[in-house]
Each structure stands twice: as structure tokens, then as C-alpha cells.
């Protein structure tokens, strides 16, 4: 590590503590109960929510709470080489990881015997898709009017060239020394996902975690803005119709 933290510029031109350019939109699909899109650098991910609805098959029904079904899927054209459209082991694992993060926030107990489906489609992938997917899915759940304890927002940090960096891009994921994806409930201050790949010392872990938290709070603001914009748009449409 020759350059200081302040001087170090990443391959895509970012400083160590900079997110990739991002945008979040909601209400993007007319046929889903709720939907959202996130763009984060080259990541382009859409999420759609159906429910709460009667659960099938009946034998799986839970008397106590709704079942949250979650599918994370990468389109064949989302990666540098064509990906098989069949769900890979990685996609099955990430579907579970994302479900477990979102489950902490959704008031499942309000809908016994029902289910809520979350479909996440990665149209274009560029590193840290699991956390970006969680961020989009949470907005889609809110857009569907599903009661939640808090939003869920995800962000990653990592280590590249000896530097702790925010929001791990694809080449940083492949060539970096560590990757730390996290997801939180920002108001309740609870962690709902914490994974780590690679090696970090205790102090590096602390620094990476703090950085990922800072990034998550920036994305949380974008989540809220997306939802507020949609409500405003709906108000304008209603006013115009009166
Ligand atoms: P995450 O997307 O959450 O960082 P991974 O660490 O498994 O999850 O993947 C890192 C990145 O590698 C992905 O964001 C994507 O850009 C790329 N990637 C994942 N799966 C494939 C694949 N099958 N083929 C090519 N690139 C992939």
C-alpha cells in the first residue's frame, strides 16, 4: 500500500469512501402489487412483490404467520458470459440469504396462512448484487403496502490494494482481499445480514463495517425519496382527476 487513503483512486475513479452512482425507483410494474428498480453502477436490478395472498400448497400453510417466498435470479445476459437461465446453487443460496434478511422486517405475523412473494431479477450484474437486491426488494415490499418494522437497506465494503473501500464493484470482488456485504434496519439499528469473504483484521473489520453503514444510510435516503416521489405522483394524478 503506497498511497494514503485520501490519495488512493480506485480503478473506476472512485475514492475509497464513494458509492457508485445510484438511483432507486418504485412502482415500475403495473401488474405487481409492489415493485422497485435499483441502479448501482453497472448493477441493474428489479424487484416485484405479490401478496399477501392465500398460500398454496395448503399443507405448507403456517397458522402463525405468512410465508415469505423469495427468488433471486440473474438473467442470462446479466453477466460477462452467458449464464444458464436455470437457478444455480449460488442463486438458491442468495434467495435464502435475502429472504432471511427481509423476514426480520416484514410483519409476517399479521398475515397467518398467507404468503408474500418477492421476485428479484438481476438484469445486469456488477458486484454486490445481493445487497442491492435487498435494497430494491424492501422498497417493492413497502410499495405493495406490506407492513414492516423498518426498511431494509444493504451495502458492501471490502479491501482492495490494502485499502478499505465502500461498495465493492465486480473487479474489486474478484481481485480484492475481502468483501463484507451487510444489510440493516436503519431506524431500529439492527443488522439483518452480515457476511464476509476474505480476511480482515479486527480494526479493518470495524472500519469496513462503519463504511458499509455509512453507505447504507445514503441508500436508505434514496429508498425513502423513491417512495415519497411515488406518493406525490399519485396525489398529483388524483388531483388532476378531480
Ligand atoms: P454479489 O453479487 O452479492 O457480490 P458474488 O460475490 O457471488 O455476489 O458475485 C460477485 C459478482 O460476480 C456479481 O455481482 C456478478 O457481477 C459476478 N457474477 C456472479 N455470478 C456470475 C456468473 N455466473 N458469471 C459471471 N459473473 C458472475
Amino acid at each position: 500500500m503506497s498511497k494514503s487513503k485520501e490519495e488512493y483512486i480506485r480503478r473506476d475513479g472512485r475514492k475509497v469512501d464513494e458509492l457508485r452512482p445510484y438511483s432507486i425507483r418504485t412502482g415500475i410494474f403495473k401488474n405487481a402489487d409492489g415493485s422497485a428498480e435499483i441502479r448501482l453502477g453497472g448493477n441493474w436490478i428489479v424487484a416485484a412483490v405479490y401478496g399477501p395472498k392465500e398460500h398454496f400448497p395448503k399443507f405448507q400453510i403456517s397458522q402463525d404467520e405468512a410465508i415469505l417466498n423469495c427468488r433471486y435470479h440473474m438473467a442470462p445476459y446479466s453477466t460477462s458470459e452467458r449464464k444458464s437461465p436455470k437457478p444455480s446453487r449460488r442463486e438458491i443460496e442468495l434467495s435464502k440469504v435475502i429472504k432471511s434478511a427481509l423476514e426480520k422486517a416484514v410483519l409476517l405475523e399479521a398475515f397467518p396462512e398467507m404468503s408474500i412473494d418477492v421476485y428479484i431479477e438481476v438484469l445486469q450484474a456488477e458486484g454486490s448484487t445481493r445487497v442491492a437486491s435487498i435494497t430494491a426488494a424492501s422498497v417493492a415490499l413497502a410499495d405493495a403496502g406490506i407492513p414492516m418494522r423498518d426498511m431494509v437497506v444493504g451495502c458492501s465494503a471490502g479491501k482492495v490494494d490494502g485499502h478499505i473501500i465502500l461498495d465493492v464493484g465486480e473487479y474489486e470482488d474478484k481481485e480484492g482481499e475481502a468483501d463484507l456485504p451487510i444489510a440493516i434496519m436503519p431506524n431500529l439499528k439492527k443488522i439483518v445480514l452480515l457476511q464476509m469473504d476474505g480476511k480482515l483484521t479486527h480494526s479493518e473489520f470495524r472500519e469496513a463495517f462503519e463504511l458499509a453503514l455509512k453507505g447504507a444510510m445514503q441508500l436508505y435516503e434514496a429508498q425513502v425519496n423513491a417512495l415519497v416521489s411515488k406518493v406525490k405522483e399519485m396525489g398529483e394524478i388524483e388531483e388532476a382527476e378531480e
Side-chain angles (χ1 to χ4, degrees):
M1 176 172 54
S2 49
K3 289 198 167 147
S4 73
K5 183 158 85 171
E6 290 73 27
E7 289 169 338
Y8 181 71
I9 297 294
R10 294 152 73 176
R11 201 192 290 185
D12 61 7
R14 280 186 289 160
K15 294 181 186 152
V16 290
D17 59 352
E18 227 179 301
L19 289 169
R20 287 168 283 182
Y22 57 89
S23 67
I24 300 176
R25 286 193 307 137
T26 188
I28 57 165
F29 298 129
K30 75 178 172 76
N31 295 329
D33 293 324
S35 57
E37 173 204 72
I38 184 164
R39 291 208 179 210
L40 177 66
N43 285 318
W44 184 3
I45 301 170
V46 290
V49 168
Y50 287 94
K53 55 187 180 47
E54 204 178 334
H55 183 77
F56 288 103
K58 290 259 185 213
F59 72 88
Q60 284 178 342
I61 278 177
S62 162
Q63 306 277 320
D64 304 323
E65 57 179 26
I67 292 171
L68 186 72
N69 295 311
C70 215
R71 188 189 75 175
Y72 163 99
H73 181 251
M74 285 180 120
Y77 47 84
S78 65
T79 50
S80 46
E81 276 177 34
R82 178 189 176 275
K83 192 210 134 272
S84 161
K86 277 194 280 181
S88 62
R89 281 186 59 173
R90 174 181 170 277
E91 285 164 295
I92 294 166
E93 186 200 322
L94 288 196
S95 298
K96 283 192 169 179
V97 163
I98 293 167
K99 168 186 157 92
S100 127
L102 295 172
E103 255 175 4
K104 312 280 191 308
V106 178
L107 279 171
L108 295 172
E109 60 274 28
F111 305 102
E113 305 186 7
M114 314 278 264
S115 55
I116 298 164
D117 296 342
V118 179
Y119 296 102
I120 294 159
E121 206 60 33
V122 179
L123 305 177
Q124 193 168 277
E126 197 196 55
S128 303
T129 60
R130 79 194 61 198
V131 284
S133 295
I134 289 172
T135 302
S138 174
V139 176
L141 283 162
D143 182 40
I146 310 265
M148 291 159 82
R149 293 178 178 82
D150 197 353
M151 291 296 282
V152 182
V153 58
C155 192
S156 67
K159 184 178 172 188
V160 174
D161 285 342
H163 291 282
I164 301 299
I165 48 123
L166 176 64
D167 181 27
V168 180
E170 187 173 277
Y171 79 89
E172 292 169 331
D173 183 284
K174 294 205 162 71
E175 294 170 24
E177 293 111 76
D179 178 12
L180 180 77
I182 69 161
I184 56 164
M185 291 197 277
N187 297 294
L188 295 174
K189 304 206 182 307
K190 288 208 188 296
I191 300 165
V192 293
L193 169 97
L194 178 62
Q195 295 186 295
M196 195 172 109
D197 198 13
K199 282 188 179 164
L200 293 173
T201 64
H202 279 159
S203 68
E204 284 171 344
F205 176 85
R206 194 174 288 267
E207 189 183 339
F209 184 75
E210 292 295 332
L211 208 49
L213 274 184
K214 228 174 90 183
M217 292 314 290
Q218 272 176 263
L219 291 162
Y220 170 58
E221 213 179 297
Q223 284 180 315
V224 172
N225 288 341
L227 290 162
V228 169
S229 298
K230 175 155 179 221
V231 172
K232 276 192 187 152
E233 266 172 40
M234 282 164 64
E236 279 161 21
I237 291 167
E238 269 169 28
E239 262 175 42
E241 281 172 352
E242 273 165 20

